[in-house]
Amino acid sequence: MVYREDERKGYRMRSILYMLVVAVLLGGCSNSDSMTEAAPSVANPGEHSGLTKEEQLAAIAERYKLDRPEEDTIMNDFPFAASEVRFDGKSIEDQLEAVVNELFGEPAETKSGEWLQLSGTKTPYIHNVYVTDIGQIDVMFIDGKATRIALKPKEE
């Protein structure tokens, strides 16, 4: 292709203009203050070797206007204390039937059957119902381990 001299100049001018616009945009994205100031950093401990880790974190939070949570935030979010938790299903997850029986006693009701998995295979299961002072606990054992756990609390 043969370009005329005017078309080449116009192409060069547009290319230069596009490069200038890109340079201005990229240059405008950087914050010169944050690039020159040295912020307290845990990653650079030599710079603030006189400060403890807590003091360094507090300096970072103050520098960047971060709110530090109160120590008792968890207790404010949850009105109950950990000592008030009366049943934790995770504690019996993947436990053998004998271990669960030791914790809750003999089941009030036992059923067995076959569980149909997504792959189409059937797996035998045992479903035990335990009656405790907090309510009824249903546990399904697949391959000998507690897999599905449900709690039905007593109505007070």
Side-chain angles (χ1 to χ4, degrees):
M1 263 192 202
V2 178
Y3 291 104
R4 293 185 309 175
E5 189 65 30
D6 293 338
E7 289 176 351
R8 280 190 220 150
K9 284 182 184 177
Y11 177 74
R12 282 189 215 136
M13 293 299 283
R14 280 193 304 265
S15 298
I16 291 170
L17 183 62
Y18 288 141
M19 286 191 283
L20 284 173
V21 168
V22 169
V24 168
L25 287 174
L26 291 176
C29 291
S30 67
N31 186 352
S32 61
D33 293 341
S34 66
M35 298 300 279
T36 57
E37 291 180 21
S41 170
V42 179
N44 191 0
E47 187 176 320
H48 302 281
S49 58
L51 300 176
T52 65
K53 186 175 180 179
E54 276 299 314
E55 291 170 336
Q56 289 176 357
L57 292 174
I60 291 170
E62 183 179 327
R63 165 74 172 91
Y64 294 104
K65 309 281 190 270
L66 301 174
D67 293 328
R68 298 218 30 174
E70 298 289 329
E71 290 298 321
D72 61 348
T73 306
I74 293 174
M75 294 308 293
N76 291 337
D77 292 340
F78 300 103
F80 57 86
S83 62
E84 293 179 17
V85 175
R86 297 177 67 191
F87 176 73
D88 179 18
K90 288 282 189 187
S91 65
I92 62 172
E93 184 177 32
D94 291 329
Q95 296 294 329
L96 297 174
E97 185 178 6
V99 174
V100 177
N101 286 346
E102 285 179 28
L103 289 170
F104 301 123
E106 289 299 315
E109 184 181 330
T110 299
K111 302 178 207 169
S112 60
E114 289 186 330
W115 182 261
L116 181 61
Q117 297 179 351
L118 290 175
S119 62
T121 58
K122 293 183 178 181
T123 303
Y125 72 86
I126 297 173
H127 178 238
N128 289 344
V129 178
Y130 301 93
V131 178
T132 65
D133 60 337
I134 60 172
Q136 179 179 315
I137 301 171
D138 294 354
V139 182
M140 184 180 289
F141 298 91
I142 297 177
D143 293 330
K145 295 183 178 180
T147 307
R148 298 187 63 171
I149 303 156
L151 171 65
K152 295 177 187 167
K154 278 186 179 176
E155 294 182 22
E156 295 180 20

